[in-house]
Amino acid sequence: LIVPLNTTLAELHHILQAAMGWTDSHLHEFDIGGLRYGDPDMLNEDRFEDDAQAFDAAQVRLKDFSRKPGTAFTYIYDFGDNWRHTIMLEKLVAITPAPKTATCVAGARCCPPEDVGSTSGYEEFLRVLSSTDPEDREEQQHLKRWSGGKFDPERFDLAKTDKKVRAPLKKRTRLK
């Protein structure tokens, strides 16, 4: 993904949701240098004593952090499934004029369906879908219906993904 440096972490969350094909149905947070960013009202509501206080992701922009290539931080989505993504700055790209939206320039494979049950749940989901064992047939039919009829883990549509990741920042540019 190419993302403008003036993008807030809250906007980055929506860009990542679009890239993954998820529906923003669960809590999320960014862990950057040991600090937590997200919706502070939600994240601070039930935090444990040893949890760091969460800061408002809408108040922090990517440009507020290191721009050194190789810099990485963690994006956590769905605390039940605990999807942990390492977000890495690969390089700074000077584009004239500066982009106003995010862009997807490459990708691979289909994202796990929302609520599939973390990596172990996704592995079981894929196992059942590809199974030829008659004992898996009922669960296989259920999972096919649940996942929309056909799921191809190798599918990736660059044009469709690019269109989706452009949308979150288009709303911002229309408001200005």
Side-chain angles (χ1 to χ4, degrees):
L1 299 174
I2 295 175
V3 180
L5 283 174
N6 69 343
T7 301
T8 67
L9 291 177
E11 291 167 331
L12 180 60
H13 161 69
H14 292 290
I15 292 166
L16 294 170
Q17 287 290 298
M20 298 299 287
W22 285 337
T23 60
D24 194 12
S25 301
H26 302 281
L27 282 174
H28 70 281
E29 73 178 30
F30 292 92
D31 180 335
I32 304 174
L35 297 176
R36 299 168 62 219
Y37 299 89
D39 179 339
D41 292 334
M42 298 297 289
L43 293 173
N44 291 330
E45 184 176 301
D46 294 322
R47 73 182 171 108
F48 297 103
E49 280 186 37
D50 58 341
D51 286 345
Q53 178 181 349
F55 297 96
D56 191 347
Q59 300 300 314
V60 182
R61 298 187 181 281
L62 292 175
K63 67 182 178 182
D64 296 332
F65 301 100
S66 172
R67 296 180 208 159
K68 181 180 176 189
T71 299
F73 56 90
T74 304
Y75 169 67
I76 305 161
Y77 177 66
D78 185 349
F79 297 162
D81 284 359
N82 196 34
W83 292 107
R84 300 178 75 80
H85 306 268
T86 299
I87 309 298
M88 181 177 292
L89 174 62
E90 292 183 358
K91 64 182 175 180
L92 288 177
V93 181
I95 301 173
T96 306
K100 295 186 188 301
T101 64
T103 303
C104 181
V105 294
R109 304 196 76 210
C110 189
C111 176
E114 187 103 28
D115 295 323
V116 76
S118 77
T119 52
S120 60
Y122 184 52
E123 289 169 359
E124 177 64 7
F125 171 79
L126 293 176
R127 185 199 68 75
V128 171
L129 283 185
S130 64
S131 176
T132 58
D133 185 339
E135 290 188 23
D136 288 328
R137 186 160 296 146
E138 187 176 322
E139 179 71 3
Q140 190 177 65
Q141 289 173 344
H142 165 74
L143 289 177
K144 282 182 181 179
R145 282 191 304 276
W146 176 77
S147 64
K150 184 178 180 183
F151 182 84
D152 177 4
E154 298 302 320
R155 178 181 47 86
F156 178 76
D157 185 328
L158 179 60
K160 185 176 178 181
T161 303
D162 183 47
K163 182 178 180 179
K164 287 181 179 182
V165 302
R166 288 174 179 272
L169 296 184
K170 280 185 178 180
K171 293 174 188 172
R172 174 179 71 182
T173 58
R174 275 187 250 139
L175 296 175
K176 289 183 177 180

